[in-house]
Structures are given as C-alpha cells and as structure tokens.
Amino acid sequence: QVQLVESGGGLVQPGGSLRLSCAASGNIYRVDTMAWYRQAPGKERELVSTLTRFGNTNVADSVKGRFTISRDSAKNTAYLQMNSLKPEDTAVYYCKIVGLTTRSTGLEVWGPGTRVTVSS
C-alpha cells in the first residue's frame, strides 16, 4: 500500500510564500511523475504542475514564474515552492504520484490535500 502525506499549507498574506511537501511511502518501486493539483471553492480540480523522473516539468499558465515544482527522488518527496501568492491561489492543494509498485503493478495515488489560504 502506498500513502502520500502533504504538509506546508496554511494562511499567508498576498505576496507571501509557502512551500508544500508531499512524502510518499509504501510499496513503491518507481515514481514516474509527481504532480500538484488544486481545487478552489466552487471550482473543479485543476493541474498546477508536474515533474517526471526525467526532469520534464509542466506548469499551469496561472502560476508560471511564481510556482516551482521539485523532488527528492531518494525520499520520494515532491515540493511546490509558491511565491508571490495571490488571493486566487486559495485552494486545497493535492499531490499525486504515478509510477510502479514493488509488485510491478501500476501506481496512481492522491494525497488528502493541504489547504492554502491567501488573505490579508
């Protein structure tokens, strides 16, 4: 069984920064992609950023230049550095990993989410 634990959310003023973490544990053989999504109140979940094991990244236009995704492969941990935060970044942020388990089965797991509130 694989679990994700997210941390780092909270309340921050506009223009501030937060760093989210997502630690994966369990029967993981390989993580191919780590991703961050977010869901604002009353809106659908949207992709924020992805990072593959080859180092390829994808960033949503709405956060480009402000958010940076990274990973520590040895720890199976993903990070999302969020700078210049805006009120419209307020959402629950979810981590997702895609890969392979130690039993050679496909792996796609979501974290429980961490809330980010940007407000003065």
Side-chain angles (χ1 to χ4, degrees):
Q1 192 170 0
V2 176
Q3 291 183 326
L4 300 184
V5 177
E6 296 138 334
S7 61
L11 173 64
V12 63
Q13 292 187 342
S17 298
L18 283 175
R19 188 192 193 207
L20 305 183
S21 299
C22 170
S25 62
N27 301 326
I28 300 170
Y29 174 72
R30 188 184 72 222
V31 176
D32 293 319
T33 301
M34 304 190 88
W36 289 97
Y37 290 73
R38 69 184 182 184
Q39 186 166 18
K43 295 188 177 181
E44 294 187 352
R45 190 173 298 188
E46 63 175 359
L47 177 66
V48 176
S49 188
T50 61
L51 174 61
T52 73
R53 64 188 179 102
F54 303 111
N56 299 315
T57 61
N58 181 37
V59 183
D61 288 341
S62 59
V63 304
K64 198 165 291 184
R66 301 188 296 121
F67 290 11
T68 303
I69 190 172
S70 61
R71 66 187 284 178
D72 183 334
S73 297
K75 297 181 180 179
N76 282 330
T77 299
Y79 304 97
L80 185 68
Q81 178 66 43
M82 305 186 296
N83 299 327
S84 302
L85 283 161
K86 305 175 181 179
E88 51 263 43
D89 295 318
T90 295
V92 177
Y93 285 72
Y94 298 91
C95 177
K96 185 180 82 169
I97 65 168
V98 176
L100 206 62
T101 70
T102 54
R103 297 182 178 183
S104 298
T105 56
L107 177 66
E108 183 173 320
V109 180
W110 289 88
T114 184
R115 185 173 301 276
V116 172
T117 302
V118 185
S119 175
S120 55

